[in-house]
Amino acid sequence: VEIPMIDISTNLRQDPDAFKAASGLVGAACRDGGYFGIRTDAVSATLIRDTFREIDQFYQADEEEKEGYRATSQSQYLGYRGLGREKSRQHSGEEVCEQYRLGLVEPGQPVTPPVDHFEGPFPAGRKLFSEFVELGDTLTALLGEDLGLGSGAFDEHMQSPTHRIGFNLYGVGHAAKSKNSVSYAMSPHVDLSMFTMLTQDAPGLQIANRDGQWMDVPVDSGWVLFILGDYVERWTNGVYHGTPHTVVAVERDRASIQYKHRPSFGTVIEPFGKLVAEHPSASYQSFSTGKEYVSVLKRILGD
Ligand SMILES: [Fe+2]
């Protein structure tokens, strides 16, 4: 099993032929397992390296200092989620990692403490987030183009997007501190996002292909992994496939950076009519990225 590689350069949108060609490659990968590697000048290798440094530094702080950035419903879940905070959706235990989230919040809704507070420990991570947003916008246009809906197909749902970037630490000592009976660190799941782009500094991530075979994602700083999320699978009525992924037990500390591209808060995702007609056997239900998504977060993270 191989991960296809696709070049997505920053000037792709100025070159109609190259844009068309890339949309075909991205679409083919999404109709298959939903995953591919992105080789791009849009996210800077230096910023990725600096962000991994910030992650290392942050997680070395003592628990009390980290809890000063605690993620709550008042912070719209920006900030720190300590070990054991996230409950698994697959088993009765917890996910074996520490987490941190930055990103865009629901407009008009107060964030307490303010967004700046949460961005404090991650100046490079915040800049990296902005680069991912732009790359994500290009990918969104490529998906619309491939689907025959036009490059602006998703625009009406992207007026106040709720993109997020996550910095996770899977520590070697974490498993011993958790009461889990499962051997993996992160339960297999498909992301609640349009798509996710990620990179890791040590092995551990596995993705599944359409036959359900799991494969290791190699550690390589030359590209970032794209995996399709639940939202676009749903929007396409299953024409595209979300990528199941998991993190196995780690043999050395592993940090990951995951960027999630998300539509406006409160978007109700319903399959596009054209794709329902093309794929009538599937029957995806609608999902609200407002109420329903928040209730998932409350269930797995508490208040
Ligand atoms: Fe995930």
Side-chain angles (χ1 to χ4, degrees):
V1 191
E2 281 201 5
I3 298 174
M5 289 291 151
I6 304 177
D7 293 306
I8 311 280
S9 72
T10 42
N11 56 17
L12 188 63
R13 294 177 88 165
Q14 281 80 60
D15 182 342
D17 291 338
F19 183 82
K20 191 87 197 158
S23 79
L25 295 173
V26 166
C30 290
R31 286 162 208 270
D32 189 12
Y35 54 84
F36 56 92
I38 303 172
R39 281 185 302 231
T40 184
D41 58 342
V43 292
S44 126
T46 311
L47 272 186
I48 289 178
R49 204 183 53 222
D50 291 349
T51 302
F52 275 128
R53 215 170 278 149
E54 290 173 352
I55 294 171
D56 280 351
Q57 198 171 2
F58 178 80
Y59 286 116
Q60 278 172 29
D62 58 45
E63 207 52 33
E64 193 185 321
E65 188 177 338
K66 290 187 280 193
E67 285 293 341
Y69 297 93
R70 183 180 172 83
T72 66
S73 55
Q74 271 74 47
S75 75
Q76 298 191 30
Y77 294 101
L78 295 184
Y80 176 64
R81 308 161 177 184
L83 182 62
R85 176 81 184 279
E86 183 175 346
K87 307 298 172 233
S88 173
R89 289 188 277 161
Q90 305 292 332
H91 58 80
S92 60
E94 305 146 351
E95 306 300 2
V96 188
C97 58
E98 293 178 81
Q99 311 177 1
Y100 201 96
R101 296 287 184 276
L102 288 182
L104 303 179
V105 293
E106 187 186 351
Q109 284 294 109
V111 177
T112 326
V115 174
D116 288 3
H117 171 74
F118 294 103
E119 293 178 349
F122 294 99
R126 178 64 185 81
K127 283 189 203 140
L128 180 63
F129 171 74
S130 298
E131 294 191 344
F132 272 121
V133 170
E134 275 201 43
L135 177 58
D137 287 342
T138 300
L139 284 154
T140 302
L142 290 167
L143 296 176
E145 182 76 14
D146 171 70
L147 291 164
L149 299 166
S151 61
F154 293 94
D155 288 359
E156 63 172 304
H157 305 297
M158 309 304 292
Q159 299 308 306
S160 51
T162 49
H163 310 315
R164 290 285 167 102
I165 193 165
F167 311 126
N168 286 10
L169 178 72
Y170 294 78
V172 169
H174 281 162
K177 292 182 201 152
S178 93
K179 298 176 275 298
N180 281 358
S181 53
V182 296
S183 60
Y184 50 74
M186 174 62 77
S187 311
H189 66 282
V190 174
D191 280 346
L192 292 175
S193 67
M194 295 175 70
F195 50 82
T196 301
M197 294 186 272
L198 45 87
T199 184
Q200 58 185 352
D201 71 352
L205 180 65
Q206 292 189 337
I207 55 176
N209 67 11
R210 281 192 62 195
D211 299 325
Q213 290 172 300
W214 290 95
M215 63 187 131
D216 293 319
V217 175
V219 177
D220 189 333
S221 57
W223 48 275
V224 293
L225 181 72
F226 174 105
I227 54 177
L228 198 80
D230 171 275
Y231 295 173
V232 174
E233 175 172 336
R234 200 177 289 270
W235 251 317
T236 65
N237 205 35
V239 169
Y240 286 172
H241 298 100
T243 309
H245 53 287
T246 187
V247 178
V248 299
V250 295
E251 283 165 22
R252 58 186 172 102
D253 288 353
R254 169 186 181 270
S256 70
I257 299 171
Q258 332 96 39
Y259 167 80
K260 289 179 181 157
H261 206 66
R262 292 212 174 106
S264 306
F265 186 88
T267 298
V268 177
I269 298 172
E270 290 187 73
F272 286 115
K274 174 178 179 288
L275 300 173
V276 174
E278 279 176 23
H279 208 231
S281 61
S283 53
Y284 282 78
Q285 304 300 304
S286 70
F287 181 85
S288 162
T289 68
K291 223 170 102 187
E292 281 175 272
Y293 176 63
V294 168
S295 87
V296 171
L297 282 183
K298 285 205 164 156
R299 202 164 67 237
I300 62 176
L301 294 173
D303 221 24

